[in-house]
Amino acid sequence: MKNLIDKLAEKHILSKEEFELLIQNKNKETEEYLFSKARETAILHYGKDIYIRGITEFTNYCKNNCHYCGIRLSNFNAHRYRLTKEQILQCCDAAYILGFRTFVLQGGEDIYFTDERIVDIIKDIKRKYSDCAVTLSIGEKSYASYKAYFDAGANRYLLRHETANESLYAKLHPANQLLSIRKQCLYDLKDIGYQVGAGFMVGAPFQTVENIAQDLLFLHELQPEMVGIGPFIPQHDTSFADEKPGTVELTVFLLGIIRLMLPSVLLPATTALGTIHPRGRELGILAGANVIMPNISPQNVRKDYMLYDNKIGTKDDAEESLQVLKEQVKNIGYRIVVARGDYKL
Ligand code: SAH
């Protein structure tokens, strides 16, 4: 398997069969080899800097019904909330003082937040913090909407493709949600000029190794600036409540593969990875990740943005938990920096 890892490091692509082989034959030895190459690659592009992004989860209203997600439309047990523009700005104010220079606005697809309202929020954030990047993660929109947000000053957009396989996509989503639309959105975002993030859940129900290889090939085709992957974690009010979660081992292995395939990609060690393992985010960094995205939402709403069970950070104090994170990152030889952390070629 070392030859496949060498080939990936050199050519930045493998065939579908080769990806499958590499994943199927994962063992302690290949893991170590892959991770050391992935770390080398990350360090070559970004040094030992770890970028932080402050996420404000500004609404958990959603018109969609993704089967895996805790804030899906038909979860009537979800306690719904939305933040005001003033509350969102307060999150940014507090986060700026702590050293955040990227603000991520994430939410369900909430029709209350019209383009006009989103544009207004983006403009206000950028007016106040012209040295910061604004990242949106608010789902599928028209080209014109994406363009309006971009013109208002948004810099980046996170929209996981969730799976590149049509039939798996159909098992994870209701019939009115289509992979073709999801992909079109990603291409539109690229065309407009955003730094774009795609990605998928590791160990989603029904997902096969072949499906994962297809995800990798799709990512290679898209060439996104960011890739978000994390383990699937069941949420008790969804139909996937009794499904098995994804594993730390496979998630970090895939982080290593993605680092070698897209050498300068911005790659977060996600909250979901930190949720299934107490050292998940450190393990992610040691496998080639270079971004961490702490929650900066107001304390009282965090427990309501429950995409999956036991999500970490719902009781944390932002300042304290950032301090802990800084220590953890330092202990493995890296450092959290105060920077926008844009994509580098
Ligand atoms: N509405 C936005 C944000 C979605 S939430 C959008 O459509 O992009 C962000 C990501 O959380 C999703 O893309 C999904 O991959 C992940 N997610 C949702 N439910 C999850 C679960 N049960 N386990 C792990 N990740 C989950």
Side-chain angles (χ1 to χ4, degrees):
M1 288 305 120
K2 281 191 178 170
N3 57 333
L4 280 185
I5 296 170
D6 288 338
K7 186 173 173 186
L8 179 61
E10 194 189 324
K11 306 233 184 281
H12 311 302
I13 188 68
L14 295 177
S15 69
K16 183 162 80 92
E17 291 69 29
E18 287 171 327
F19 275 131
E20 289 175 35
L21 212 62
L22 184 57
I23 294 165
Q24 274 152 354
N25 290 287
K26 168 173 83 62
N27 59 39
K28 279 278 152 279
E29 210 187 328
T30 56
E31 280 172 1
E32 263 328 300
Y33 192 65
L34 174 68
F35 296 159
S36 74
K37 292 238 162 205
R39 282 197 296 269
E40 250 172 52
T41 306
I43 291 168
L44 189 68
H45 292 273
Y46 294 100
K48 291 200 141 189
D49 290 356
I50 301 298
Y51 300 131
I52 49 170
R53 324 295 199 194
I55 305 199
T56 301
E57 299 158 336
F58 68 100
T59 173
N60 72 350
Y61 282 87
C62 192
K63 66 179 170 66
N64 289 341
N65 231 339
C66 309
H67 299 317
Y68 43 84
C69 184
I71 63 167
R72 63 201 301 269
L73 176 69
S74 41
N75 179 6
F76 301 111
N77 292 328
H79 172 251
R80 305 285 170 173
Y81 73 91
R82 51 173 74 96
L83 302 183
T84 62
K85 182 174 76 176
E86 289 64 37
Q87 286 176 303
I88 296 171
L89 283 163
Q90 281 164 14
C91 293
C92 298
D93 293 342
Y96 190 88
I97 295 169
L98 293 177
F100 287 91
R101 295 295 178 268
T102 292
F103 304 125
V104 183
L105 301 181
Q106 189 180 83
E109 292 196 20
D110 180 356
I111 53 170
Y112 169 83
F113 284 101
T114 56
D115 287 354
E116 205 184 341
R117 289 192 166 113
I118 295 289
V119 161
D120 182 48
I121 294 167
I122 297 166
K123 281 189 176 161
D124 275 10
I125 296 176
K126 293 295 284 199
R127 204 172 293 134
K128 199 159 183 193
Y129 297 111
S130 57
D131 56 335
C132 293
V134 169
T135 305
L136 299 176
S137 178
I138 54 176
E140 297 171 12
K141 308 277 174 179
S142 68
Y143 190 100
S145 299
Y146 287 149
K147 182 80 170 66
Y149 310 153
F150 188 78
D151 291 342
N155 308 94
R156 311 188 188 126
Y157 205 103
L158 304 175
L159 185 77
R160 291 185 176 180
H161 64 282
E162 310 297 357
T163 169
N165 180 283
E166 296 276 358
S167 68
L168 180 57
Y169 199 92
K171 288 180 184 148
L172 300 177
H173 303 94
N176 66 335
Q177 287 174 246
L178 295 174
L179 177 58
S180 55
I181 297 177
R182 199 90 182 161
K183 283 187 175 176
Q184 188 56 51
C185 287
L186 286 163
Y187 290 118
D188 288 349
L189 289 162
K190 275 229 130 188
D191 186 65
I192 291 167
Y194 282 95
Q195 294 175 45
V196 174
F200 58 95
M201 292 180 292
V202 177
F206 315 109
Q207 184 187 55
T208 64
V209 171
E210 186 189 12
N211 294 154
I212 294 174
Q214 291 168 326
D215 285 324
L216 295 171
L217 292 176
F218 172 69
L219 289 174
H220 186 264
E221 182 199 313
L222 180 69
Q223 293 284 316
E225 285 77 16
M226 304 168 281
V227 171
I229 64 160
F232 160 75
I233 303 173
Q235 203 283 355
H236 62 276
D237 284 319
T238 64
S239 50
F240 293 157
D242 297 324
E243 298 290 335
K244 280 206 307 283
T247 65
V248 187
E249 290 74 19
L250 184 54
T251 306
V252 294
F253 198 71
L254 292 171
L255 283 173
I257 289 178
I258 292 166
R259 170 59 67 203
L260 293 187
M261 184 174 77
L262 303 168
S264 62
V265 76
L266 294 161
L267 192 61
T270 54
T271 307
L273 183 57
T275 295
I276 56 164
H277 191 288
R279 294 189 64 239
R281 293 195 283 202
E282 288 113 293
L283 296 173
I285 291 169
L286 292 171
N290 68 328
V291 172
I292 297 179
M293 304 175 67
N295 192 338
I296 59 165
S297 308
Q299 210 68 267
N300 62 320
V301 302
R302 291 193 193 185
K303 62 176 184 325
D304 293 323
Y305 199 82
M306 277 298 173
L307 308 182
Y308 46 81
D309 290 340
N310 306 314
K311 183 160 160 255
I312 53 166
T314 52
K315 293 195 188 74
D316 289 0
D317 167 75
E319 187 170 358
E320 243 171 68
S321 58
L322 185 62
Q323 205 45 49
V324 173
L325 211 54
K326 279 185 183 164
E327 281 299 311
Q328 290 169 334
V329 166
K330 193 170 148 213
N331 287 340
I332 55 168
Y334 290 75
R335 60 178 168 263
I336 285 180
V337 293
V338 177
R340 266 175 61 129
D342 282 297
Y343 179 72
K344 292 184 193 164
L345 253 186

